[in-house]
Amino acid sequence: MNAVMTDHPVQAPGATISVTALTKRFQGFPALQDVTIDFLPGEVHVLFGENGAGKSTLIGVLAGIHRPDGGTVILQGQAIQPTSPRHARQLGIAAVFQEPALVPQLTVAENLTLGREPMSLGLVDKRARQAAAAQALQRIGSNIDPAAHARDLSRAEQQIVEIARSLQGEAKVLILDEPTASLTDEETNQLFTVVETLRREGIAIIYITHRMSEIRRIGERISVLRDGTLIRTCPLEHVTDDDLVTLMTGRQVGALFPEIPHRPGSTALELHQVHGKGVHGVDLCVRKGEVVGLTGLIGSGKAEIGRLCFGLSRTLSGGIHINGQDARSGSPAERLRQGVIYYPADRKHDGLIFSRSARENVSLSALDKWARSGFINRRREKLEAEAVLRRLSLRPGNPDALPTSFSGGNQQKIVLGRGFTRPYDIHIFDEPTTGVDVGARAEIYQAIQELAESGAAVLLISSDLPEVVNLVHRAYVVAEGRIAGEFSGSDLNEATILPVFFTQYDKEPAN
Amino acid sequence: MQTKTATRAARGPAPALAPSSPPFNIGNLVRQQFIAYGILPLLLIVLIITFAVVEPRFISQTNIINVARQVSFLGIIAIAQMLYLITRNYDLSNGGTVALSSITCATVMVSAPQENPALAILLGCLAALLIGLIVGIINAVLIAVFKVSSFMVTLGTGFAATGVALLFAGGVPVTGLPVEFSRNFGTSLVMGIPFPTFMLILVFVGAYVLLNWTRLGRQAYAVGGNEKAAYQAGVNVNRTLIAVMVMGSFLAALVGVMITARVSTGEANIGVQYPMESIIAAVIGGIALAGGEGRVSGAFMGALFIVLLNNGMDLIRVQGYVQDILLGALLILALLVDRVRTKIRVTAPATNLPIQVPLTSDKGENK
């Protein structure tokens, strides 16, 4: 490291922060190799790449989480080496990560001043705190109430408070790691307004996202990383979306969404006037060989319908039929026996067992298949579970590794693996591609295609409208717990579907 | 398929499930061993060598048999504790279970008709083991069905069981057991090894098979690791919890019977040290208090470590109090090292380990 430090730091004139020849290895494996990028003031610079391409490692180095093995970070002409997130912030590098880390029980003002409360006479000066918080929020052009509790804020508002918090002090660089991953469109707009304000102030903004649509809206230049190396940095107007996918994945765009032939068979899943928590009189059906979408706003009740079908919440009235059999009550275990499998949206809390290997996670639902009077045939289990993981292209391909060692997309593949250990008739996907990069996303879609072609019924619950429009044969829109519309054929397009999201049933105007 | 593999190979260094080569050297080997077993094997080796050098009697045959006998009781208790810990629960009632099992065993044997010692012994053992099942069922139902914290439940049942034992025996040891009991199950040698050690081997193998080769074992790990996820993956959570915890308490009762045979007396105060000692043994052995992981060999090595430490220090006449201090310090050391180990294990990016054997012909295309 010293040898590098003595080199004269070189930085493109005018750049706020630059990395030159940055290299970082984990256990001998390169996560970043010889990466050189300049980030300019007043510019939103998009970092783009699949999970595991090195984006997180790069911002980790900038934010003081990782120490580089080679190369330099130069901040306004000075070589720096952030040793902790705190140190990075003192240097003027602010980072906001995907998951908001506010204390839910505290107010916005308390969160904003946490750890540096203004004091007077040894006590917290509440008035000064309120003022400091209001100022921090005003600075980024937000009108969030400093007295509100963090738990009452929307995800977007929490993100904005996070940004306000990280920008206190003299920030020159702001790193945003997938800030919109869990936001609705409207919330995204709110966030973008704030980002735009900061950009005008001349802050260099480093923005990570997987969403193609956002890149052009917000970014000026883009750097594409693949397998730890910088593939290209260029202004966004110089590349097309197809170029970007090609640069990122190293393969031609074979269209993200596969064409799935529509050969509907008999009805596999049928709901008739189903009532449950947040679900009011829902009718829907999914046939074999069909991919059916269930879309709507977050909180519309579409996720709840999926949970009802899998026995995760109670059906209060109405009928659920699986292959013609009554399935109103019963546990997930019974549903699995009836041929239904559900892939939860929250793979961390509901999907994965983090203390067990990828292989054991996959085989968990099918142990009885390999067991004879309770004893598992481990050779067969290993062979078949690993074949499933290979088929889903788990990367890196080590089935003995713990789920934590995989990226989001690959963790999702582990969860999906459960559906491939044995034939299930009905597959219910709840937001299968949130926090998943484009490469893994294509692989997940391919898996859905394979399932449908093999004659399974697929119910795809998703807030990602392009995904729904391009992948499914039919789509239901859910609003306020009811089916607000059903679309297929030429009606299945964003312009027709989107307005239905906002259907209101209650007399009082929805808030 | 051909084109697909080709594009994959073109994309980068890691196609699915094919071994790329991480740098392989002694350092990595040690690292892998450390990640798998923690610091305990090393501590055991250091301990044995040190005591053997300082006090030659430590490796005499008499002492080895002595250690083998002592480790049998704690070893089984530690494995029983492990069954609870894997499901993310504590068992603080194993001491009480041992005590009540001992008193029950002795009382039944003494009260049974003396003309048929075999029948008396059989009845005594069955009654004692039944106690284990009862305690286990009470624990498990309260924990699994009523969702009461296992810490409080087992603390409660442990106290209650000890109380019942004391009440039952009127606070005095129960003596006058059939001599055959102690002769056959306490001091006898089976194939040259002490009977209790023979039982330990059985329990060890049984627990190993249970946890690694049966559905129940896998499901127990899964439930302990993430109960919600296990439920959604179709595991019958309550049944798993109950089965595993009942087995744990059953093993505690078994130890009660074994100790009763060894000392030829039923006593209500023989288990007091077990709740804490078994947790220490399990934790030193790498069994996570957070549930979902742990190896039987770890529980056994943890128990062996505690027994060897006490035994060795007894031989070189270290005061009991000093022994406690040292044991406490080593426990904390082991926990600290374990944190490092967990961190490495959890944060390390997955790599294709060399043990991975390719199952397809991908190998040629992957450079």
Side-chain angles (χ1 to χ4, degrees):
Chain A
M1 199 61 239
N2 282 338
V4 182
M5 296 291 271
T6 52
D7 280 357
H8 207 67
V10 231
Q11 189 177 26
T16 302
I17 191 165
S18 310
V19 292
T20 51
L22 203 62
T23 297
K24 172 74 190 171
R25 280 181 287 269
F26 290 109
Q27 295 182 15
F29 283 87
L32 277 182
Q33 267 176 310
D34 208 17
V35 170
T36 302
I37 308 177
D38 295 304
F39 299 98
L40 308 178
E43 177 193 66
V44 177
H45 194 123
V46 179
L47 281 187
F48 195 58
E50 303 188 76
N51 282 330
K55 306 179 307 269
S56 310
T57 313
L58 176 58
I59 62 168
V61 169
L62 295 178
I65 297 165
H66 301 308
R67 235 48 63 75
D69 294 319
T72 338
V73 179
I74 306 161
L75 182 68
Q76 297 183 327
Q78 289 264 313
I80 55 162
Q81 202 178 4
T83 51
S84 68
R86 195 186 165 86
H87 181 211
R89 196 175 297 175
Q90 283 163 357
L91 291 166
I93 303 168
V96 178
F97 294 100
Q98 233 175 74
E99 295 294 321
L102 301 178
V103 183
Q105 296 84 355
L106 297 184
T107 65
V108 169
E110 283 164 344
N111 268 295
L112 281 171
T113 54
L114 202 61
R116 42 167 176 251
E117 290 84 357
M119 307 294 276
S120 90
L121 302 173
L123 297 170
V124 174
D125 183 342
K126 291 198 177 169
R127 200 169 299 163
R129 175 165 69 193
Q130 210 72 5
Q135 198 197 349
L137 288 167
Q138 203 187 359
R139 157 139 196 247
I140 61 169
S142 156
N143 53 5
I144 295 170
D145 179 7
H149 280 99
R151 60 167 177 258
D152 298 332
L153 301 181
S154 71
R155 296 290 289 249
E157 288 170 332
Q158 291 186 22
Q159 285 281 12
I160 288 168
V161 173
E162 280 270 353
I163 294 175
R165 178 158 81 171
S166 66
L167 284 176
Q168 283 171 331
E170 196 56 31
K172 298 158 191 152
V173 180
L174 173 65
I175 300 169
L176 295 169
D177 183 7
E178 283 197 70
T180 58
S182 53
L183 303 190
T184 61
D185 282 352
E186 201 168 324
E187 290 173 329
T188 303
N189 289 339
Q190 223 178 325
L191 184 79
F192 279 8
T193 319
V194 171
V195 172
E196 181 57 26
T197 314
L198 295 170
R199 190 187 66 75
R200 288 219 192 94
E201 275 184 32
I203 292 176
I205 294 165
I206 303 174
Y207 192 94
I208 295 187
T209 184
H210 284 135
R211 295 193 177 174
M212 283 298 232
S213 55
E214 277 177 13
I215 295 174
R216 275 174 208 287
R217 255 182 80 188
I218 196 167
E220 274 114 50
R221 287 197 306 154
I222 187 163
S223 289
V224 184
L225 292 168
R226 189 205 313 157
D227 298 327
T229 51
L230 177 68
I231 302 298
R232 193 166 157 195
T233 299
C234 64
L236 269 163
E237 57 264 29
H238 292 184
V239 283
T240 65
D241 282 1
D242 285 359
D243 291 342
L244 285 179
V245 174
T246 312
L247 287 173
M248 175 178 71
T249 59
R251 63 180 166 202
Q252 286 300 316
V253 198
L256 182 57
F257 301 101
E259 200 58 51
I260 307 172
H262 192 194
R263 285 190 290 264
S266 60
T267 302
L269 173 69
E270 191 171 19
L271 270 64
H272 180 66
Q273 281 301 309
V274 167
H275 289 262
K277 190 182 140 232
V279 176
H280 313 292
V282 164
D283 290 285
L284 67 79
C285 80
V286 187
R287 292 191 180 80
K288 288 189 173 158
E290 199 179 31
V291 182
V292 171
L294 201 55
T295 186
L297 296 171
I298 290 173
S300 61
K302 63 184 190 304
E304 203 53 42
I305 294 173
R307 293 172 56 82
L308 280 174
C309 295
F310 195 58
L312 284 168
S313 60
R314 271 184 53 209
T315 308
L316 299 175
S317 71
I320 298 182
H321 292 271
I322 290 163
N323 290 329
Q325 279 182 308
D326 178 55
R328 243 177 321 174
S329 56
S331 64
E334 279 168 60
R335 293 293 203 274
L336 286 163
R337 275 195 292 277
Q338 288 173 314
V340 186
I341 186 159
Y342 168 83
Y343 310 97
D346 187 344
R347 54 181 172 262
K348 286 206 167 59
H349 291 107
D350 301 338
L352 292 165
I353 291 150
F354 281 96
S355 59
R356 309 310 297 172
S357 68
R359 181 182 53 237
E360 282 190 30
N361 267 285
V362 165
S363 49
L364 187 60
S365 296
L367 287 176
D368 51 320
K369 180 181 167 194
W370 302 301
R372 197 170 271 184
S373 56
F375 289 89
I376 303 168
N377 180 338
R378 291 220 302 190
R379 204 181 53 81
R380 268 190 58 204
E381 179 229 334
K382 186 171 152 73
L383 220 61
E384 291 187 29
E386 289 181 4
V388 165
L389 288 171
R390 196 167 338 106
R391 180 167 162 197
L392 295 170
S393 331
L394 183 76
R395 272 187 307 271
N398 177 6
D400 293 318
L402 296 180
T404 34
S405 15
F406 295 96
S407 64
N410 284 294
Q411 287 184 357
Q412 185 70 327
K413 289 183 203 165
I414 298 174
V415 176
L416 293 196
R418 287 193 191 135
F420 287 79
T421 49
R422 57 161 47 144
Y424 290 100
D425 295 330
I426 302 164
H427 297 254
I428 303 171
F429 292 85
D430 192 358
E431 306 285 359
T433 57
T434 40
V436 166
D437 65 74
V438 177
R441 191 182 265 246
E443 280 157 351
I444 290 166
Y445 293 152
Q446 210 181 340
I448 291 177
Q449 176 188 20
E450 281 177 34
L451 290 172
E453 284 179 353
S454 72
V458 176
L459 182 63
L460 174 72
I461 302 168
S462 174
S463 309
D464 186 336
L465 206 44
E467 176 174 292
V468 171
V469 167
N470 287 300
L471 205 63
V472 306
H473 300 124
R474 245 172 352 110
Y476 294 97
V477 175
V478 184
E480 296 185 358
R482 296 169 179 86
I483 298 290
E486 184 184 343
F487 301 88
S488 60
S490 60
D491 287 341
L492 197 59
N493 61 67
E494 293 188 41
T496 321
I497 292 182
L498 193 61
V500 186
F501 273 34
F502 304 97
T503 314
Q504 288 180 5
Y505 292 92
D506 295 342
K507 299 237 162 48
E508 308 83 25
N511 213 339
Chain B
M1 192 59 217
Q2 190 53 44
T3 52
K4 202 164 144 190
T5 342
T7 43
R8 286 270 154 67
R11 303 185 52 191
L17 297 182
S20 67
S21 51
F24 185 80
N25 55 37
I26 293 295
N28 270 359
L29 186 72
V30 170
R31 189 191 170 88
Q32 274 170 28
Q33 292 306 309
F34 174 66
I35 289 174
Y37 296 102
I39 197 181
L40 188 57
L42 185 73
L43 279 179
L44 272 174
I45 293 169
V46 171
L47 194 76
I48 291 170
I49 293 175
T50 315
F51 281 130
V53 170
V54 176
E55 175 56 82
R57 272 189 300 159
F58 184 69
I59 43 171
S60 68
Q61 201 192 346
T62 338
N63 193 52
I64 289 174
I65 295 222
N66 189 16
V67 166
R69 201 168 268 140
Q70 285 175 27
V71 81
S72 310
F73 306 125
L74 186 59
I76 296 177
I77 285 282
I79 290 170
Q81 180 68 263
M82 173 190 184
L83 292 176
Y84 273 79
L85 290 178
I86 279 176
T87 63
R88 207 177 181 176
N89 291 298
Y90 294 94
D91 183 10
L92 302 179
S93 67
N94 57 16
T97 312
V98 167
L100 185 56
S101 147
S102 173
I103 289 293
T104 310
C105 175
T107 312
V108 170
M109 274 183 208
V110 172
S111 335
Q114 293 303 306
E115 50 277 16
N116 189 349
L119 181 67
I121 292 169
L122 181 70
L123 287 177
C125 292
L126 286 180
L129 296 177
L130 186 66
I131 290 294
L133 292 182
I134 293 170
V135 175
I137 288 168
I138 296 174
N139 282 346
V141 167
L142 287 173
I143 294 168
V145 181
F146 294 98
K147 314 276 174 219
V148 189
S149 127
S150 65
F151 190 95
M152 294 319 297
V153 168
T154 59
L155 193 63
T157 51
F159 264 115
T162 312
V164 173
L166 285 166
L167 189 70
F168 223 49
V172 291
V174 181
T175 52
L177 304 182
V179 280
E180 291 86 351
F181 180 48
S182 168
R183 196 192 304 146
N184 289 323
F185 301 112
T187 50
S188 67
L189 296 180
V190 181
M191 294 179 280
I193 49 172
F195 183 79
T197 312
F198 179 72
M199 291 304 289
L200 171 67
I201 294 169
L202 282 187
V203 169
F204 185 104
V205 172
Y208 177 81
V209 170
L210 171 77
L211 291 174
N212 295 285
W213 291 85
T214 71
R215 228 179 123 192
L216 180 63
R218 278 300 182 74
Q219 296 183 331
Y221 279 122
V223 169
N226 184 347
E227 191 177 316
K228 260 172 99 180
Y231 179 68
Q232 298 205 8
V235 175
N236 187 330
V237 172
N238 282 357
R239 197 173 65 195
T240 308
L241 283 173
I242 291 173
V244 173
M245 287 194 262
V246 168
M247 283 184 210
S249 290
F250 179 82
L251 289 181
L254 177 68
V255 171
V257 174
M258 285 162 54
I259 297 180
T260 311
R262 174 78 191 134
V263 297
S264 198
T265 319
E267 290 198 49
N269 58 358
I270 50 173
V272 265
Q273 77 282 21
Y274 281 143
M276 284 306 139
E277 270 190 14
S278 60
I279 290 179
I280 294 176
V283 169
I284 295 182
I287 289 138
L289 293 180
E293 63 179 321
R295 296 160 190 255
V296 186
S297 53
F300 166 72
M301 283 194 286
L304 182 62
F305 181 77
I306 293 178
V307 169
L308 283 178
L309 192 69
N310 288 335
N311 172 272
M313 291 196 293
D314 280 344
L315 283 180
I316 56 173
R317 295 197 197 82
V318 177
Q319 260 194 328
Y321 307 129
V322 179
Q323 293 189 18
D324 286 351
I325 297 172
L326 200 60
L327 184 62
L330 282 169
L331 170 70
I332 291 167
L333 174 74
L335 283 177
L336 283 177
V337 174
D338 197 57
R339 280 196 71 90
V340 176
R341 180 175 76 107
T342 314
K343 205 171 164 197
I344 296 177
R345 208 160 98 92
V346 170
T347 57
T351 52
N352 296 304
L353 295 175
I355 47 171
Q356 198 50 54
V357 182
L359 293 163
T360 61
S361 58
D362 275 0
K363 202 181 174 183
E365 291 156 42
N366 170 36
K367 289 173 193 90

